[in-house]
Amino acid sequence: MTELAIIGGTGLTSLNGLEITKREMIQTPFGEPSGPLTHGVLNGKEVLFLARHGDDHTIPPHRINYRANLWALHNAGVKQVLAVAAVGGIHEALPPGALAIPDQIIDYTWGRPSTYFEDDLSEVTHIDFSYPYCKALRALLIEQCQAMGLSICETGTYGATQGPRLETAAEIARMERDGCTMVGMTGMPEATLARELELDYACCAVSANWAAGKGDGSVISMAEIELNLTTGMERVRSVLEQLLLRL
Ligand code: HPA
């Protein structure tokens, strides 16, 4: 059984070099996931891949069926999830192209189905979420980046916003005062749902742009985001490939 899954975000809708053994569309009690679960072998290790925004990148962050995605992975026997996510850099250490392994989250999203614990409950459940990411998986990611000589941000607070629009400069200034070092639209409720299902979950974030009002104040375009992600995601691909050998 494949125990490791990679959830790919913007800029990572497939894994180069993955020898695909099976693709299956799963129905879950929460509906359909973003796309088929792709089972395969990468660098000799079994891995499962799911494109968070769909194979053709057509599902916006607020419409992703996070519950179905995580449920489908759990149902397939996955125990560990490496989530790859594009973010905007708020902290000066996160220019476009930089990588970060966040250790905290602040949730600014709203209206997203964000728990499995709401219907047919025998008791009310409150999961511990003090430390939202898996320490061991984060350490692996950090060690792998260091082994490859990549300079990365080893900690950071991921501020999860609703999207799909980007933020205003004032919103980013507020998020910075709150302690956010990066901003993205998909980190929540993905991380919560992984914890509810007792999956080990860590995120490798790639800065696609300076967050609103940071950088030189020029308009943030999709073209710029895509261009910056091309280099960033190449690095992430190599990190993931090498990391598989350590698991
Ligand atoms: N804001 C929110 N999400 C993002 C950004 C951003 O600037 N860049 C990439 N994902």
Side-chain angles (χ1 to χ4, degrees):
M1 203 173 255
T2 316
E3 298 211 338
L4 175 79
I6 295 171
I7 302 183
T10 303
L12 193 78
T13 48
S14 62
L15 283 180
N16 296 349
L18 181 70
E19 295 160 38
I20 298 176
T21 50
K22 185 168 68 170
R23 272 166 67 81
E24 52 174 353
M25 196 62 201
I26 306 276
Q27 293 297 330
T28 79
F30 307 95
E32 281 192 355
S34 298
L37 301 188
T38 304
H39 297 252
V41 179
L42 184 64
N43 239 346
K45 298 278 175 179
E46 280 189 18
V47 63
L48 222 155
F49 181 81
L50 176 65
R52 188 187 285 116
H53 297 274
D55 284 347
D56 300 324
H57 201 266
T58 47
I59 312 171
H62 62 297
R63 301 294 291 274
I64 291 169
N65 192 338
Y66 296 94
R67 288 198 298 187
N69 284 356
L70 274 299
W71 187 272
L73 296 179
H74 180 248
N75 196 51
V78 163
K79 304 273 184 266
Q80 298 172 312
V81 177
L82 286 174
V84 180
V87 295
I90 298 178
H91 193 274
E92 61 186 10
L94 274 176
L99 306 189
I101 314 298
D103 61 340
Q104 276 297 331
I105 304 178
I106 299 179
D107 190 6
Y108 301 90
T109 67
W110 47 269
R112 301 181 179 189
S114 58
T115 180
Y116 295 111
F117 296 129
E118 58 186 6
D119 292 322
D120 304 325
L121 297 178
S122 54
E123 61 184 68
V124 173
T125 306
H126 303 286
I127 54 155
D128 176 81
F129 203 47
S130 316
Y131 301 97
Y133 297 107
C134 168
K135 203 173 161 191
L137 266 188
R138 289 189 60 255
L140 259 183
L141 279 166
I142 293 168
E143 278 164 27
Q144 187 53 51
C145 291
Q146 285 169 343
M148 293 168 67
L150 294 175
S151 79
I152 52 156
C153 271
E154 296 179 15
T155 53
T157 298
Y158 179 116
T161 54
Q162 178 69 0
R165 67 166 176 85
L166 296 168
E167 300 69 35
T168 65
E171 285 168 337
I172 292 297
R174 183 186 71 164
M175 290 176 74
E176 189 169 28
R177 290 194 297 276
D178 284 353
C180 295
T181 41
M182 66 198 90
V183 54
M185 299 176 193
T186 56
M188 288 293 278
E190 199 171 87
T192 313
L193 294 166
R195 179 62 56 85
E196 286 191 353
L197 293 173
E198 298 181 1
L199 298 169
D200 292 342
Y201 177 92
C203 171
C204 180
V206 185
S207 174
N209 54 280
W210 284 116
K214 292 293 166 181
D216 62 8
S218 57
V219 174
I220 306 167
S221 69
M222 275 310 286
E224 178 202 342
I225 289 183
E226 278 159 20
L227 187 70
N228 291 328
L229 283 180
T230 312
T231 24
M233 287 301 171
E234 269 321 304
R235 280 190 213 130
V236 172
R237 279 198 175 92
S238 341
V239 169
L240 294 177
E241 275 173 34
Q242 297 303 313
L243 185 142
L244 286 179
L245 297 174
R246 289 167 168 248
L247 284 170

